[in-house]
Amino acid sequence: MTGAGLPPVLNFVGLGHSHVVALAKGAYALEAKGAEVGGRAICGRFRYLYDADFTPPFADAARSRLNPAIEAALDDGAADFVLLSIGGNEHNVVSIRQPARRFDFILGEASDAPLDPKAEIVPEAAIRETLRDYMNENMRVLQAIRATCNLPMALVEPPPPLPRAQVLAYPKEFFRSQIDQRSMSSDLLRRKVWRVQVGMMRQACAALGVAYVETPSDMFGADGLLKASVCGQDATHANDAYGETMIELAARLMAAPAQGSG
Amino acid sequence: MARPPYSDLPDSSYWRRAVGGVAPEAIDPVVVAPFQIGARTKVAAAGSCFAQHIGRYLKAAGCAYLVTETAHPVMTEAAARALNYGVYTARTGNIYTARQLRQLIERAYGRVQPADDIWDEGGLFLDPFRPTIQPGGFNSRREFEIDRIRHFSAVRQAFETLDVLVFTLGLTEAWRSRVDGIVYPLCPGVSGGKFSPGAHEFVNFGVADVVDDLAAVLQALKAVNPPAKVILTVSPVPLAATAEPQHVLTSTVYSKSVLRVAAEMAAKAHENVAYFPSYEIVASGMAGNYFAADRRSVTEAGVAHVMRIFAEHYLKGGAGGGAFAEIVRKAAGAVGPQARAAGLEAAFAVMCDEEALDAAAVLAGPRPPGAT
């Protein structure tokens, strides 16, 4: 036991889609270093929701029950909390590439920001509802996980869009159609769409009683995108250094008294 | 000796031959359609919530349903639906009264600038003339203004390029500004804005008002689009609520009667205007009970009957084949679950923000703000 009477290890189950990989790497790196949070070592066991055992995520067409393998992963017995990274790349689907009919929008939180003079200006609600549509299945998964498991939970914010050069270096990694300098959306637009998405995720978490782990300011470059040193080896993901930071933040949040409870 | 005038009349002139002795589903109150809609005829739709069915059916029938305010391709279909793109020709929302349509044209052409032009809801902005057009309203005055410039442009484009306008008259009751007489689609305070007895007043338009408003609309349309034709119809959907100090059923019959008379007068006074009897098919009760359990919503079968008659008379080729016949058949309930699976449920999930009147009453207490 620690001095505060707590078990010496802070155990958690990590579940998620592609962004969970960086988090898992970060957690394992922290464990290897013997990192502690509040005097407790951290120990995470991760599950990748795209693994065959966990797909489809629901056991029935009505989506009334989670896939039993996901339920079993949540029913760990030893975990102090559940760490989630659900979806998170929907903003890229919307924003990475400009269609022939260019678009831009006004972000409510920065309504005076410049707009693309050649673009059709759509309402932010158009972006929000489009993201809602793309995020629908993953939000259902989040709701079902919350409803299934009583452990405290935290959702890690998806990383911000990656710098332009990084995306262009991996044009086919995640997108069916090739993107190039001309067709790729501006940094500002990509960041705005990400802001809309993370706002929705934060709101969903608040409604579900899931703690929300925001990307800290030192993860951003001067352009408001993910800083180059924490980019992963593709066009949309972060690396294990980013994972370490986010795991540490999440662990601190969940280890703090009266935090992160469902 | 001259034959009496009733001796050579068509079957449609006789109740027994046209109604009493006819199977309900075969009742067809249209005698002559003065013009027809071909595959390339650009049809625009506007009006109260019942008008949404017309657009959806025309699209399903492969008609050139005119949409001038389109969703950007970045949007998914569900998002476009949530923001009411494509429900009507322009993103107008429901236009319940002839005065609203008149105002819309005048505003779109810059001839009228309402004093109460934007509602600031504490950082979110609503359009008083389409307060429920998108979830959450507009995020800034700037966004609001950009969108409305586009909206007015789409309205002008619609009026200048349509071949046929189908306008469904819904209500005579409305709320208007005491400052400049501008009429709102919904009472301020119901779905945004703040009701104030000093700023807003109730109005119940009479026949002369509606005839005058329709004449102004037709004149404005003719000025920018001389060959345009208009089909007027009256929504059979009863009032959700009345602000008159009388029973809502009494108000409904009054309101629909006024609209029906005004539509008849407009059709008789203008060569390019036809009247289509949606109201008679559904609300007369002669063609069957086409109201759902709430006695307000029109059933799928009722809408299908209306649209079958519309197609029979107004669509070149009639309703006898193709996609239109199929959608009517499905909507009539021949294959209910399959019809829903085919996406038809959307055709009946109409945007009816007038229902907010009822919801507001439930949530806010016994009476909507300012109701007499």
Side-chain angles (χ1 to χ4, degrees):
Chain A
M1 303 292 272
T2 64
L6 294 167
V9 178
L10 181 63
N11 282 293
F12 64 93
V13 172
L15 271 180
H17 296 111
S18 56
H19 291 300
V20 86
V21 175
L23 299 177
K25 286 181 181 172
Y28 298 145
L30 286 171
E31 287 173 32
K33 288 180 198 169
E36 291 186 346
V37 169
R40 302 168 74 187
I42 57 169
C43 177
R45 292 165 298 283
F46 284 84
R47 301 284 185 276
Y48 187 45
L49 287 175
Y50 285 133
D51 274 351
D53 287 351
F54 301 126
T55 56
F58 291 99
D60 55 354
R63 297 182 175 89
S64 63
R65 205 189 146 197
L66 273 177
N67 180 326
I70 299 177
E71 288 182 347
L74 291 165
D75 189 16
D76 180 275
D80 296 298
F81 71 93
V82 174
L83 183 93
L84 299 168
S85 170
I86 305 292
N89 262 341
E90 293 87 349
H91 65 95
N92 279 314
V93 175
V94 173
S95 73
I96 194 77
R97 187 179 193 277
Q98 275 285 4
R101 198 168 138 190
R102 296 178 70 83
F103 77 98
D104 197 354
F105 73 103
I106 295 167
L107 185 66
E109 65 189 32
S111 60
D112 294 331
L115 293 168
D116 179 346
K118 292 181 182 168
E120 180 177 323
I121 309 304
V122 302
E124 182 179 343
I127 303 301
R128 189 175 62 242
E129 295 307 314
T130 296
L131 285 168
R132 195 187 309 285
D133 199 12
Y134 287 132
M135 292 162 66
N136 180 44
E137 182 76 359
N138 287 333
M139 288 299 104
R140 280 169 176 257
V141 170
L142 176 62
Q143 287 164 6
I145 287 174
R146 175 71 283 177
T148 301
C149 173
N150 291 324
L151 286 172
M153 285 182 191
L155 180 93
V156 177
E157 186 169 88
L162 273 57
R164 198 168 193 82
Q166 174 85 14
V167 176
L168 291 171
Y170 298 94
K172 289 183 179 174
E173 190 78 24
F174 290 93
F175 309 105
R176 286 181 189 158
S177 57
Q178 182 154 352
I179 50 173
D180 54 28
Q181 186 70 25
R182 191 185 56 79
S183 62
M184 191 176 160
S185 295
S186 70
D187 295 348
L188 180 58
L189 178 70
R190 291 189 298 127
R191 181 172 156 73
K192 287 195 293 187
V193 176
W194 176 77
R195 288 293 301 166
V196 175
Q197 172 161 358
V198 297
M200 295 169 72
M201 293 178 88
R202 191 183 300 112
Q203 217 169 26
C205 285
L208 292 169
V210 173
Y212 187 78
V213 187
E214 281 188 26
T215 310
S217 56
D218 62 359
M219 291 289 105
F220 294 89
D223 50 10
L225 306 173
L226 190 67
K227 68 178 181 183
S229 60
V230 294
C231 288
Q233 293 298 306
D234 60 33
T236 63
H237 295 99
N239 66 12
D240 46 358
Y242 165 91
E244 276 190 47
T245 300
M246 298 307 287
I247 289 292
E248 210 164 354
L249 277 175
R252 280 210 190 96
L253 185 66
M254 302 309 284
Q259 286 290 328
S261 63
Chain B
M1 196 170 78
R3 290 164 62 85
Y6 285 91
S7 59
D8 293 325
L9 296 179
D11 287 352
S12 59
S13 298
Y14 296 93
W15 188 267
R16 186 177 57 79
R17 293 182 219 167
V19 181
V22 175
E25 65 275 12
I27 290 177
D28 174 1
V30 177
V31 176
V32 177
F35 51 84
Q36 286 202 307
I37 295 167
R40 291 182 193 163
T41 307
K42 294 192 286 290
V43 185
S48 68
C49 43
F50 190 77
Q52 293 167 39
H53 297 303
I54 292 169
R56 292 189 188 279
Y57 269 78
L58 289 175
K59 276 188 273 189
C63 292
Y65 181 61
L66 180 64
V67 177
T68 54
E69 194 167 1
T70 54
H72 190 281
V74 75
M75 295 175 71
T76 61
E77 275 185 41
R81 267 200 306 278
L83 271 73
N84 291 295
Y85 283 100
V87 174
Y88 294 115
T89 294
R91 208 161 70 113
T92 55
N94 293 334
I95 298 175
Y96 294 106
T97 60
R99 178 65 54 87
Q100 253 185 280
L101 181 61
R102 177 181 185 172
Q103 278 180 188
L104 174 64
I105 299 169
E106 290 172 342
R107 288 165 56 235
Y109 281 94
R111 296 194 284 267
V112 166
Q113 176 66 43
D116 186 16
D117 205 27
I118 181 170
W119 287 340
D120 183 345
E121 304 278 312
L124 286 174
F125 296 85
L126 296 181
D127 187 338
F129 307 103
R130 40 180 196 150
T132 60
I133 202 65
Q134 65 186 32
F138 296 91
N139 68 15
S140 58
R141 191 174 285 271
R142 186 184 183 199
E143 182 182 75
F144 174 91
E145 285 168 358
I146 289 172
D147 188 79
R148 202 151 71 175
I149 287 169
R150 182 165 181 251
H151 172 55
F152 282 161
S153 168
V155 170
R156 291 193 301 271
Q157 189 190 345
F159 274 86
E160 288 161 21
T161 61
L162 65 84
D163 295 315
V164 175
L165 168 65
V166 182
F167 181 54
T168 303
L169 294 145
L171 298 177
T172 56
E173 293 190 16
W175 291 84
R176 70 182 169 198
S177 165
R178 289 184 190 273
V179 175
D180 54 10
I182 206 82
V183 163
Y184 304 93
L186 280 172
C187 179
V190 172
S191 292
K194 289 183 182 64
F195 180 79
S196 157
H200 307 114
E201 64 182 356
F202 174 69
V203 59
N204 196 356
F205 295 115
V207 171
D209 301 314
V210 181
V211 168
D212 187 47
D213 287 335
L214 287 175
V217 167
L218 293 167
Q219 191 180 3
L221 180 59
K222 193 170 186 177
V224 297
N225 187 352
K229 294 179 169 47
V230 176
I231 297 173
L232 294 175
T233 186
V234 174
S235 165
V237 178
L239 275 63
T242 180
E244 289 282 7
Q246 62 186 16
H247 197 282
V248 67
L249 180 57
T250 307
S251 283
T252 294
V253 172
Y254 169 77
S255 194
K256 301 299 177 182
S257 303
V258 166
L259 296 174
R260 179 65 191 87
V261 172
E264 186 79 13
M265 290 173 72
K268 284 191 168 151
H270 299 88
E271 273 187 6
N272 63 331
V273 178
Y275 173 74
F276 178 76
S278 305
Y279 181 80
E280 287 83 340
I281 293 169
V282 174
S284 71
M286 302 301 163
N289 179 10
Y290 285 148
F291 287 107
D294 63 2
R295 296 176 186 156
R296 181 166 188 267
S297 309
V298 178
T299 61
E300 297 181 4
V303 176
H305 191 154
V306 168
M307 295 313 300
R308 178 165 46 80
I309 300 300
F310 184 87
E312 196 65 48
H313 294 277
Y314 281 93
L315 298 192
K316 282 181 184 160
F324 194 90
E326 180 64 6
I327 196 168
V328 166
R329 188 180 67 79
K330 285 180 176 175
V335 283
Q338 291 91 329
R340 276 184 282 282
L344 272 169
E345 79 278 15
F348 299 96
V350 294
M351 173 207 189
C352 194
D353 47 14
E354 193 200 353
E355 286 175 358
L357 294 172
D358 204 16
V362 171
L363 294 173
R367 303 183 72 74
T372 51

